[in-house]
Each structure stands twice: as C-alpha cells, then as structure tokens.
C-alpha cells in the first residue's frame, strides 16, 4: 500500500475558536449580492443595543406627523408618511428607533452599507511558501471569519442578558471540572501538556508544521523525519507547548527509512513530563485509540478511534521528487489524522503511547479546493516498540541502524511475495556475499513468501517486516524456488545510516 505523509506547510492556527461558517442566505432586506463572503452577522432585533454602543440613542418622532426624520435616515417615503425602506417602522407609541449602524460598513457586500447582515470581508491571508500552504490559507480564512461572527453574536447576546444565572465558558470553576480516570477527557488532559507543535523552516524559507511528544526529561522530542526534513541542513526548528511556551530546537538525528526523528529543546525546562510508552506488540484490533496533533495547523487537536488493523504494510512518501520512501509494518487506525498530525502520539485508552502518527491513505482528490486530501478514516502509525528503538539509537549515535537480510528485492507491487532481483542497486550483486541471505542459501530469483508467521506479498512488505526487528534477531524465512517451497533460519545483519 502506498500512502502519503501528512505533515505539510501550514500557517499558524487562528487564536479565535473555530465556529462553523453560515451558508449564504437572504438577509431580511434582500438577497446577499453575488460574491459576498458567507460569514454573516445576525440581524439585530428591534430594540436591541448596538454592538459597541454605550447608550441607546433617544427615540425620534414619526415623520408621518409632519416632522422631518431624525439624522441618519434616508428621508421619508414618496407619500411623506410611510417609514423609509429598510426600517422596521415606528414603535406603538409613535416614536422611531435610532438608525441602525451597518456591520463593518459595506466591506465586501456590494451594497450601500445601510443594512444589517452586510458581510465582513476577511482580509486575504498571506500564503506561506512550502507544500500545502494554499490549502491551509483558505481554511484559516474561513475559520477567522467564522470566529469573528461567533464572537460578536456572543457579545450581543451577553449585552441583552438580564439577571441570567448561566455560567460562562470562561468562568474559572467551569474550566476546572474534573474528569474521571480512564475517560478520553482525562487522558487528553494528562497527555496534552507533553505534546508540542513543531515548525520547521529551511534556509530558503520553505517549511511545514507537524507534531512531537516529550521522550525524556533531557528535552528530547520524538517526531517524524518528514516533519523536520526541511530544517536538516541549517534550517530553523521551534517547538511550542499547549501553554504557549515556545523553544528553539535542534535535530539530534533522523532516520528517513523509518520516518523517525529526534530533536532536542534548547534551554529545555526542568519540569518536562515524558509520555509513558506502551507495548505495541500487545495491541489488539478494536482497542481504543486517541490521536493528538495539529491537523491543518490547528494545534492540540484530539481525535479518537480504534485500532483497525495491525501489521499493515505501508510505503509512504511526502510526494516530493527528492523524497525516498519510508517503510513500516503499521498500526492502522480510524482516528482522524490529517496533515499536521505527523509525529504526534497515538495513545491507548490508558494514555500510553502505542504509535507515532505518520501517514494517511489519500483518495487522490484534494480537500478544501486543492490537491491535498484529508482524513478518510485510514491512518497509519509507526509501532512504538520500533520507534523507541530507533529514537534510542539516534540519541546515542546520531544515526539510524537498520536490520537487513543482505539481498535486493523487487519493489514492484505483487501478491506473490518478495522476489530477489537478478542484480542489486548500482550494479552490485543481488545477494550480498557473506551476508545473512547468502549464508542461508538464498539466490536471485527466489521469492520470499513469509517472515516468521507473517505473510509477505511484496518487497516493501518484506522491508517493513524486517525493520520491525533489531540487528542480530533470528528469523525464519519461507521462500519458493522452481515451484518448491523451502524454509530456512537466518540471523539479521545491520546497516548504519540512510545511505
């Protein structure tokens, strides 16, 4: 299965909470002109105070009695008695309400600016360079407009509230509600302070956003290789905690094949709380999962699901021409994972890390009007047992160490197995002389169909399975030659570095 990495360039998330943007609808005074933004302010009911007005303006006399309309009215109707178009008319006592002030003038509405419901035109966002920036810019613009509309609506409602006993969301007692141990809210509350949003920027200004989590008290953060790839050669890295504290960081080591990287905070705080690491070998299909990340730049997002499958062979790439594929025998989850979730923890129901969110299956049709897709319920995470070993090697040596059998296999998609090629890369021998495969008697043309009890249907599947092991592990290989099935034991060798 070929998938896409999902850590791409996005601008920072807006500070206001996202509020759904209302669909276009006719205002009380007429239809909204074509091209107007969809974020609408609600009509103010008659008698409601104006937003931002300290005192209601005094009532005015009805022009029907011969007096001129108050300042701000467009003038009497042609017969001199009817109320001006667009105004609600006189109150029962014959007085007129003050003229309404348009919301944000007539920006973007195409009208005269004298009616409630005129749309607010969000200034065009400045797209950042790097892959995926346009998608996020469109999304952020919608969220900001929606957030403003929601915020003003709340203010108007609050101003009209007389003697309400409702507790607002900002009340300190409401924000300190305890959640029972074992609930998703409790797990999220304990795990979020140990996650970070990572921003990586290259020397040319290109960059992206992803996620990471605290690995130890020394300030090491584990994430995906493709999250920090832009900053490998002299770029800039920052890590921001949910409390808003931001730290510069440096790359300790990265493994492109495993898609794992370790960065370290500069001037790391002394109160870091590493997340508890679970045992991915003991995960079962159907177990609950909790994913934390920054999808499309929305930091500190929590989603839930289950383990949909184990040992799912995945070859992933970020789609760039210079990127090499990463291989994993992944945990599959239906927890919502999107661009920006990369490198974030996949937790079990107790809050222990069982995987690193790394890739999603793409439908090929983009989301938000572009070529970048979002979650369709097929997310993949690197098992934490493998990631822990890789991270420890990177901290110790700065380079990854890979297990190997010492044979080149075809990377073409197949259902028959992993075929040993006739020739290796760059004209080298397909079977390394004196390597594990050579010692076990494997030859070019042999088709490996099993590694231990795991079925091998292709070369990428074999690589992913081998990399779940450590150098020196003993494995049983089942292969076919000339239509005959054979089984042999071999001890895995090692290779240091990505080259």
């Amino acid at each position: 299965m070929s998938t896409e990495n999902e850590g791409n360039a996005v601008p920072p998330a807006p500070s206001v909470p996202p509020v759904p943007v209302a669909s276009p609808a006719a205002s009380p005074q007429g239809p909204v002109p074509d091209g107007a933004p969809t974020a609408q302010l609600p009509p103010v009911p008659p008698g409601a105070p104006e937003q931002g007005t300290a005192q209601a303006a005094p009532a005015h006399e009805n022009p029907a009695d011969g007096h001129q309309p108050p300042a701000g009215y467009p003038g009497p109707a042609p017969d001199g008695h009817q109320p001006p178009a667009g105004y609600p008319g006189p109150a029962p006592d014959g007085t007129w309400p003050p003229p309404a002030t348009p919301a944000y003038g007539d920006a973007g509405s195409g009208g005269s600016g004298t009616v409630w419901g005129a749309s607010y035109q969000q200034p065009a966002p400045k797209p950042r360079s790097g892959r995926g920036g346009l998608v996020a810019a469109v999304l952020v613009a919608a969220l900001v407009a929606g957030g403003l509309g929601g915020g003003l609506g709340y203010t108007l409602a609050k101003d009209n509230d007389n003697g309400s006993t409702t507790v607002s969301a900002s009340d300190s007692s409401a924000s300190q509600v305890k959640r029972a141990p074992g609930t998703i809210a409790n797990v999220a509350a304990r795990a979020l302070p140990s996650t970070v949003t990572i921003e990586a920027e290259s020397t040319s200004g290109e960059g992206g956003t992803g996620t990471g989590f605290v690995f130890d008290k020394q300030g090491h953060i584990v994430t995906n290789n493709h999250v920090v790839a832009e900053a490998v050669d002299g770029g800039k890295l920052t890590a921001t905690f949910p409390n808003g504290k931001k730290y510069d960081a440096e790359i300790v080591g990265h493994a492109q094949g495993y898609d794992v990287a370790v960065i370290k905070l500069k001037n790391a705080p002394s109160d870091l709380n590493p997340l508890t690491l679970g045992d991915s070998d003991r995960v079962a299909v159907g177990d609950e999962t909790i994913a934390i990340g920054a999808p499309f730049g929305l930091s500190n997002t929590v989603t839930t699901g289950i383990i949909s499958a184990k040992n799912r062979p995945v070859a992933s790439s970020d789609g760039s021409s210079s990127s090499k594929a990463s291989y994993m025998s992944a945990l599959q989850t239906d927890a919502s994972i999107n661009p920006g979730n990369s490198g974030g923890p996949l937790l079990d129901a107790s809050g222990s890390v069982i995987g690193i969110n790394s890739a999603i299956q793409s439908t090929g049709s983009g989301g938000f009007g572009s070529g970048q897709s979002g979650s369709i319920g097929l997310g993949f995470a690197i098992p934490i047992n493998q990631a822990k070993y890789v991270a420890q090697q990177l901290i110790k040596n700065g380079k990854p160490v890979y297990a190997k059998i010492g044979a080149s296999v075809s990377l073409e998609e197949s259902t028959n197995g992993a075929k040993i090629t006739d020739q290796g890369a760059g004209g080298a021998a397909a079977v390394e002389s004196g390597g594990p495969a050579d010692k076990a008697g494997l030859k070019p043309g042999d088709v490996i169909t099993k590694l231990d009890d795991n079925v091998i249907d292709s070369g990428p599947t074999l690589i992913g399975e081998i990399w779940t092991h450590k150098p020196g592990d003993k494995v049983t290989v089942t292969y076919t030659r000339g239509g005959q099935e054979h089984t042999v034991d071999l001890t895995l060798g090692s290779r240091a570095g990505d080259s």
Side-chain angles (χ1 to χ4, degrees):
M1 178 183 295
S2 178
T3 64
E4 295 181 1
N5 294 129
E6 32 65 50
N8 290 318
V10 292
S15 59
V16 295
V19 177
V21 180
S23 59
S27 70
Q29 292 76 26
V32 176
D34 292 340
T38 58
Q40 300 263 339
L41 290 174
V44 173
E50 294 178 33
Q51 168 64 15
T53 303
Q55 271 188 324
H60 298 278
E61 296 177 320
N62 188 338
D65 63 3
H67 287 76
Q68 292 298 314
Y73 282 85
D79 62 3
H81 298 285
Q82 297 301 316
Y87 288 91
D93 62 359
T95 61
W96 280 79
T101 302
Y104 296 98
D106 63 344
S109 68
S112 63
T114 59
V115 295
W116 281 96
S119 301
Y120 168 66
Q121 177 64 53
Q122 172 67 22
K126 297 179 180 179
R128 291 177 57 188
S129 59
R131 295 180 295 277
L134 179 60
V135 173
V138 172
L139 177 67
V140 169
L143 290 176
V144 170
L148 285 171
L152 291 171
Y154 170 75
T155 301
L156 290 171
K158 182 179 179 183
D159 288 344
N160 283 322
D161 184 15
N162 295 318
S164 173
T165 58
T166 303
V167 178
S168 68
S170 61
D171 190 281
S172 60
S173 61
S175 63
Q176 296 175 1
V177 174
K178 300 292 184 182
R179 299 296 185 225
T183 62
I184 293 171
N186 179 267
V187 170
R190 289 186 286 113
L192 275 168
S194 297
T195 62
V196 296
T197 299
I198 298 172
E199 293 187 8
E201 186 175 308
S202 68
T203 53
S204 61
E206 293 186 349
T209 299
T211 309
F213 62 91
V214 177
F215 187 69
D216 58 28
K217 289 184 175 295
Q218 287 68 49
H220 291 108
I221 304 292
V222 172
T223 185
N224 282 140
N225 172 75
H226 72 266
V227 168
V228 303
E230 296 281 9
V232 168
D233 297 319
K236 180 181 179 181
L237 275 177
T238 61
T240 305
F241 285 86
N243 61 9
K245 292 183 178 179
K246 179 181 287 190
Y247 298 86
D248 290 331
E250 59 186 355
I251 297 175
V252 173
H254 61 103
Q256 189 172 45
Y258 290 121
D259 198 17
V260 174
V262 175
I263 66 175
K264 188 174 184 181
L265 305 178
K266 297 180 181 179
N267 301 315
S270 59
D271 58 349
L272 290 174
N273 292 311
L275 289 182
T276 301
L277 304 184
D279 185 352
S280 52
D281 289 340
R282 301 184 64 180
V283 169
V285 173
D287 282 351
E288 289 182 303
T289 57
I290 303 169
I292 299 179
F296 293 101
L298 300 174
S299 300
N300 316 317
T301 295
V302 177
T303 57
T304 63
I306 62 169
I307 292 292
S308 305
K310 294 179 62 177
N311 304 316
R312 188 68 81 190
V314 172
S316 65
S317 171
D318 63 8
S320 64
S321 58
S322 60
S323 173
K324 295 181 180 179
S326 302
Y327 300 95
M328 67 185 92
S329 182
L331 297 175
Q332 180 182 327
T333 181
D334 66 346
S336 183
I337 296 175
N338 285 290
N341 274 103
S342 283
L346 184 68
L347 309 173
D348 63 15
S350 70
S352 297
V353 182
I354 55 174
I356 301 177
N357 303 317
S358 181
I360 58 175
Q361 177 65 40
S362 172
T363 61
S365 59
F368 304 101
S370 82
Q372 188 178 33
S373 297
S375 173
I376 58 172
L378 295 173
F380 304 96
I382 303 166
I384 195 59
N385 289 6
Q386 177 183 0
K388 176 183 177 181
Y389 165 74
V390 176
Q392 290 172 335
Q393 291 295 317
L394 293 175
I395 293 172
K396 181 180 179 180
N397 304 314
K399 293 183 179 181
V401 178
Y402 297 90
K404 68 174 186 177
I405 63 170
S408 296
V409 294
S410 172
L411 298 181
E412 295 180 359
E413 291 188 7
S414 171
T415 58
N416 299 321
K419 182 179 180 179
I420 299 179
T421 58
D422 295 328
Q423 192 173 40
V431 178
E432 178 186 328
S433 178
D438 185 34
K439 292 179 179 178
L442 294 172
K443 298 180 179 180
D446 290 346
V447 179
I448 298 174
T449 57
K450 276 188 179 182
L451 189 72
D452 292 330
D453 293 328
N454 298 308
V455 174
I456 303 300
D457 60 5
S458 66
T461 301
L462 176 62
I463 296 172
E465 282 296 330
I466 290 173
W467 286 354
T468 64
H469 293 273
K470 301 175 184 178
D473 285 353
K474 291 184 179 181
V475 296
T476 299
V477 175
T478 301
Y479 65 97
T480 60
R481 179 189 297 168
Q484 299 295 317
E485 186 176 271
H486 306 271
T487 300
V488 64
D489 294 332
L490 59 80
T491 300
L492 297 173
S494 66
R495 171 175 65 84
D498 277 310
S499 59

